[in-house]
């Protein structure tokens, strides 16, 4: 069983920054793509960013492109989401996800494993 644990969420003012972390327990015999999704109250869960095991391929939602950066440290089995220039519209519960793949999927259904989520609130 793969376990994912997010951390780093909190309250921040508009224009500020946060770094989310996702500690993953995954097999070293497989290549896992890692992704970040978010869900605001009353809205569908939406794609934020994804990265392949090597870090050679990344994918971002248009709404966060240029502001957020996804990265990973395989030695620590951890994926990060650096969020800069935060906006109130970024307020949501952020989820880490994983799937054995070489592709940076945008569809939530493509991911097999999920963390419990961490709350990010951006005040205006």
């Amino acid at each position: 069983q793969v376990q994912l644990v997010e951390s780093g969420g909190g309250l921040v003012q508009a224009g500020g920054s946060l770094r989310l972390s996702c500690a993953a327990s995954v097999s070293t015999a497989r290549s896992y793509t890692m992704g970040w999704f978010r869900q605001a109250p009353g809205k569908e869960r939406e794609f934020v960013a994804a990265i392949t095991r090597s870090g050679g391929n990344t994918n971002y939602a248009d709404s966060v492109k240029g502001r957020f950066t996804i990265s990973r440290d395989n030695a620590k089995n951890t994926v990060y989401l650096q969020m800069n220039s935060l906006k109130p519209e970024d307020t949501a519960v952020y989820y880490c996800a994983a799937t054995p793949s070489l592709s940076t999927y945008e569809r939530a259904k493509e991911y097999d494993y999920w963390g419990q989520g961490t709350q990010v609130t951006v005040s205006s």
Side-chain angles (χ1 to χ4, degrees), residues 47-92:
F47 171 77
V48 176
I51 187 169
T52 54
R53 177 175 173 81
S54 68
N57 294 101
T58 58
N59 191 11
Y60 296 92
D62 288 341
S63 60
V64 306
K65 195 172 298 181
R67 299 188 298 123
F68 292 9
T69 302
I70 188 171
S71 62
R72 65 192 297 168
D73 185 338
N74 291 334
K76 297 181 179 179
N77 292 321
T78 302
V79 63
Y80 305 96
L81 185 68
Q82 179 66 47
M83 306 185 295
N84 298 326
S85 301
L86 283 163
K87 305 175 181 179
E89 304 91 271
D90 296 318
T91 295

Side-chain angles (χ1 to χ4, degrees), residues 12-14 87-89 122-124:
V12 65
Q13 292 182 327
K87 305 175 181 179
E89 304 91 271
V122 184
S123 62
S124 60

Side-chain angles (χ1 to χ4, degrees), residues 12-124:
V12 65
Q13 292 182 327
S17 299
L18 284 174
R19 189 181 75 160
L20 305 183
S21 298
C22 175
S25 176
V26 297
S27 173
T28 58
R30 302 291 298 276
S31 295
Y32 284 87
T33 287
M34 304 294 296
W36 286 97
F37 292 77
R38 66 187 183 186
Q39 187 166 22
K43 300 183 67 176
E44 297 289 322
R45 185 170 298 186
E46 65 176 354
F47 171 77
V48 176
I51 187 169
T52 54
R53 177 175 173 81
S54 68
N57 294 101
T58 58
N59 191 11
Y60 296 92
D62 288 341
S63 60
V64 306
K65 195 172 298 181
R67 299 188 298 123
F68 292 9
T69 302
I70 188 171
S71 62
R72 65 192 297 168
D73 185 338
N74 291 334
K76 297 181 179 179
N77 292 321
T78 302
V79 63
Y80 305 96
L81 185 68
Q82 179 66 47
M83 306 185 295
N84 298 326
S85 301
L86 283 163
K87 305 175 181 179
E89 304 91 271
D90 296 318
T91 295
V93 176
Y94 283 70
Y95 297 90
C96 177
T99 189
S101 176
L102 297 177
S103 300
T104 52
Y105 297 118
E106 297 182 4
R107 295 170 60 88
K109 292 182 177 180
E110 299 290 350
Y111 292 82
D112 299 317
Y113 309 102
W114 294 83
Q116 81 289 347
T118 185
Q119 176 71 47
V120 172
T121 302
V122 184
S123 62
S124 60

